[in-house]
Amino acid sequence: MVKAVKGVLVECDPSIKAIILKIDQHKHDYIVEDLDDQTLVIKESQLASLKQRLDKELVNAQQIPDESDTESAKSLSDGQELFPLRLGGAGRGGKRRPK
């Protein structure tokens, strides 16, 4: 029996995609389909959770900013996303748009 999964088309840099693949490799909770070097289909119900885990990974990978660099420290503490993902609507019956 075939099971349909609602997904969201996500476009990102290859380096960010590699981190997402690493996050997903143990439980396979996030990725529905790996389309190309910059595009994934992510389970819609897991998108917010994936963004949180990705932001944590990126913060951990960065160096701690100098106290003199208040703008960088402020942007990290404001809860803003470090690398926002571009989302498409292919998982909802839409077609992938050509570039």
Side-chain angles (χ1 to χ4, degrees), residues 8-77:
V8 178
L9 186 68
V10 174
E11 294 178 286
C12 56
D13 293 332
S15 59
I16 299 299
K17 181 183 171 199
I19 296 171
I20 293 172
L21 291 171
K22 180 184 168 200
I23 290 170
D24 189 63
Q25 75 183 4
H26 297 293
K27 293 184 180 179
H28 305 290
D29 286 341
Y30 302 104
I31 298 174
V32 174
E33 190 70 35
D34 183 349
L35 299 176
D36 61 28
D37 290 344
Q38 296 182 334
T39 313
L40 296 163
V41 177
I42 303 293
K43 292 178 186 174
E44 184 180 45
S45 62
Q46 296 293 325
L47 184 62
S49 173
L50 177 61
K51 282 184 175 184
Q52 288 177 347
R53 288 205 48 197
L54 182 59
D55 281 343
K56 284 181 186 177
E57 289 284 332
L58 293 170
V59 167
N60 290 337
Q62 283 189 340
Q63 295 179 2
I64 299 172
D66 292 342
E67 290 178 15
S68 62
D69 189 7
T70 56
E71 188 61 35
S72 293
K74 181 177 184 250
S75 67
L76 290 176
S77 65

